[in-house]
Amino acid sequence: MPAPKAKVPPQAAGKKAAVEPQQKKETKTQAKASEKPVSAAPPKSAVKPSDVSKKAAKPRQQIKAKGAKKKKLNLKFTIDSTHPCEDGIMDIDSFEEFLRKRIKVNNRLNNFGSSVGLEKSKSKLILSSDIPFSKRYLKYLTKKYLKKNSLRDWLRVVADSKESYQLRYFNINNEEEEEK
């Protein structure tokens, strides 16, 4: 016994008929695309002669030899604390000791070795380094020392040149004169 055919409602039959013409349109566009010859070379407008010359004109990077030595760094930073030391507010020896204990070299404390040195001359501290060292780190440690000794309210750290800091008093006298 043959299988009975399923009856399709009239609305569904209309949908199938509507779908078939769209499929035929797609096949016609595909056929038109297949009729066009495919060329291996890009169109003339895509590659300009000026582009070719720009690519060839780029300078080549120099290759360094393996045995080439890098420039040795000689950094020198100074911290001038003459004003607070003359007034007796701050002790330069305790400041030097603080820096010796707190400065990290290669992420380790007390690792100065021959690469970093700290010297004292009168009321100035001179830090010399053969490895990269941040001047900002020195300022951070100076501020930390001032805060520890309750001097941060009266002293500030100012860069007076590219390689040095100076400890100065806040200008409290000028503010009092302005208020009167």
Side-chain angles (χ1 to χ4, degrees), residues 16-133:
K16 281 187 180 179
V19 172
E20 290 175 11
Q22 289 176 353
Q23 290 175 351
K24 287 181 182 177
K25 288 179 184 176
E26 291 174 353
T27 55
K28 286 180 183 177
T29 56
Q30 291 173 353
K32 287 181 183 178
S34 64
E35 289 175 8
K36 293 181 182 177
V38 179
S39 63
K44 290 182 181 179
S45 62
V47 178
K48 297 178 183 175
S50 60
D51 292 342
V52 175
S53 63
K54 287 180 183 176
K55 289 180 183 176
K58 287 184 180 179
R60 293 186 180 202
Q61 294 178 350
Q62 293 180 349
I63 299 171
K64 294 181 182 178
K66 289 183 181 178
K69 293 182 180 179
K70 292 183 180 178
K71 234 183 189 181
K72 197 171 187 181
L73 289 175
N74 288 326
L75 302 173
K76 228 176 205 184
F77 300 114
T78 60
I79 301 174
D80 184 12
S81 58
T82 52
H83 299 294
C85 288
E86 286 176 355
D87 295 340
I89 295 175
M90 190 175 120
D91 183 29
I92 193 75
D93 295 325
S94 65
F95 183 43
E96 181 187 16
E97 183 182 333
F98 178 85
L99 288 178
R100 283 198 188 277
K101 288 181 181 177
R102 301 291 172 110
I103 290 178
K104 285 186 178 182
V105 179
N106 295 332
N107 293 326
R108 291 184 181 177
L109 293 173
N110 299 322
N111 190 22
F112 274 37
S114 62
S115 58
V116 179
L118 187 66
E119 357 176 312
K120 175 182 64 170
S121 63
K122 295 184 182 179
S123 57
K124 289 185 180 183
L125 283 176
I126 301 167
L127 184 127
S128 56
S129 174
D130 295 336
I131 60 172
F133 194 87

